[in-house]
Amino acid sequence: ADYTAVIDMPDAPAEQKAKALLNRGVTHTEQGDREQALAVCTAVIDMPDAPAEEKAMALLYRGATHGRQGDTEQELADYTAVVEMPDAPAEQQAQALLNRGATHGRQGDREQALADYTAVIDMPDAPAEQEATAMSIRGAFLWRSGDYKHSQESFEAALAVAEVSSQYRTAALFGLPEPMIANAGRDQVIVALESAFRNGDADSAGYGGTPDDLLSMVLGRGHQEWREYIAELVPVYVNNNAVAKLGQGVTQTIELLDTGGYSEMQLDVWNDAWQEAGKDCDDLELPLRSLDAAIDAIKTKSDRPLFRLPLEIREIVRPLLTKSLEQ
């Protein structure tokens, strides 16, 4: 009612009316009325005298609302409208690029997502926090594209910006060791991982990283290096109370072992290294039992070894062995 009173005032400045409309739209969303929220945002966008900042905010908000409704085409159109507004503030344009990049990423269009994140980084007047956010996200995209050199550079650039948010700083801290495995020595990788645990936000969802991605990079090294890598990685996770996450990563490597064309000798090297490094860690017992049974299943092309595992664990491991156990 209060926002509506401002909107209905005949002599209220356009800026205040536009802000009242936006606030009313937020309230409609909080009440679960997305249609009214869309209508209010559209009213701001259609105001001939609404300031550019309010129009841009309305487009951003409307785009996000379209996204929540599953209307990706309209979501992208609204973000693009902000990007192309000649008088939109840099903060809103950068946010529109970040949002559009995330939407492209969800659609699997990594090339367009990467282009949007790069555009934020290249903006001469982008706010530092948004620029650092784009750097962190771009680092992850480049890693998934196999461009480990530039991935590492993006993570390092994000960490060099003081204004980066806790969430994206933590993501960059734990993302950095992954491409480093391809570009740097093992000692440097371990130092970077220890730094991530020491300086990351323990309350952030990204704390602890994604050990399955980290271990996939270790697998990419020669098997001669696996034992030393594993022997040094396990204590880092143990000392930082993140063994459960490491165990999940070990289990996920089963799928990579199944599809990677590894020889029986290499499978045994990987398995033996984990059994040795984790033998005194109770929290790794089930992941290591799963790994041991799965490797036997890969070598024998039979699911018989999986029956050594409890039923609930077997149901997790079995889908990771689609190549070896395909009927």
Side-chain angles (χ1 to χ4, degrees), residues 31-239:
Q31 291 180 322
D33 191 345
R34 289 180 181 169
E35 290 303 323
Q36 282 297 318
L38 287 172
V40 169
C41 289
T42 301
V44 177
I45 295 163
D46 291 342
M47 280 180 66
D49 50 355
E53 181 175 356
E54 276 63 41
K55 281 182 180 284
M57 288 297 297
L59 283 162
L60 284 169
Y61 195 77
R62 191 174 72 174
T65 305
H66 281 310
R68 285 190 288 270
Q69 290 185 317
D71 190 346
T72 304
E73 184 177 349
Q74 284 301 313
E75 179 186 14
L76 289 172
D78 281 344
Y79 296 149
T80 300
V82 179
V83 173
E84 295 176 351
M85 278 180 68
D87 51 352
E91 181 178 357
Q92 275 75 52
Q93 287 192 321
Q95 190 60 53
L97 284 164
L98 287 172
N99 291 1
R100 193 173 70 177
T103 304
H104 283 311
R106 287 195 302 272
Q107 290 185 306
D109 191 344
R110 289 185 181 174
E111 185 176 346
Q112 284 300 314
L114 193 58
D116 282 341
Y117 295 132
T118 301
V120 177
I121 296 165
D122 291 343
M123 282 179 66
D125 50 355
E129 181 175 346
Q130 290 169 310
E131 184 178 7
T133 297
M135 289 172 178
S136 179
I137 299 173
R138 187 174 72 166
F141 269 86
L142 289 168
W143 180 85
R144 297 198 178 281
S145 300
D147 188 348
Y148 302 129
K149 178 178 183 294
H150 290 107
S151 172
Q152 179 177 337
E153 290 173 355
S154 285
F155 286 132
E156 289 172 339
L159 293 171
V161 179
E163 294 87 348
V164 64
S165 69
S166 174
Q167 173 190 352
Y168 286 106
R169 175 174 292 279
T170 301
L173 281 165
F174 282 98
L176 179 59
E178 295 170 10
M180 284 182 68
I181 291 174
N183 301 320
R186 186 174 66 252
D187 290 347
Q188 293 171 289
V189 173
I190 298 301
V191 168
L193 185 60
E194 290 174 336
S195 174
F197 277 111
R198 187 171 57 253
N199 298 308
D201 180 1
D203 294 327
S204 171
Y207 189 77
T210 50
D212 52 323
D213 290 339
L214 188 73
L215 296 180
S216 75
M217 293 297 295
V218 176
L219 273 169
R221 305 289 299 187
H223 68 271
Q224 300 88 346
E225 300 183 49
W226 291 350
R227 188 176 299 276
E228 288 76 14
Y229 254 110
I230 292 166
E232 293 194 41
L233 285 171
V234 170
V236 176
Y237 282 88
V238 170
N239 294 337

Side-chain angles (χ1 to χ4, degrees), residues 3 23 66 105 131 158 166 168 170 172 193 200 224 247 258 264 269 276 304 315:
Y3 295 142
N23 289 341
H66 281 310
E131 184 178 7
S166 174
Y168 286 106
T170 301
L193 185 60
Q224 300 88 346
D258 183 52
E264 290 195 7
V269 169
E276 175 63 25
R304 281 183 172 276
E315 290 177 346

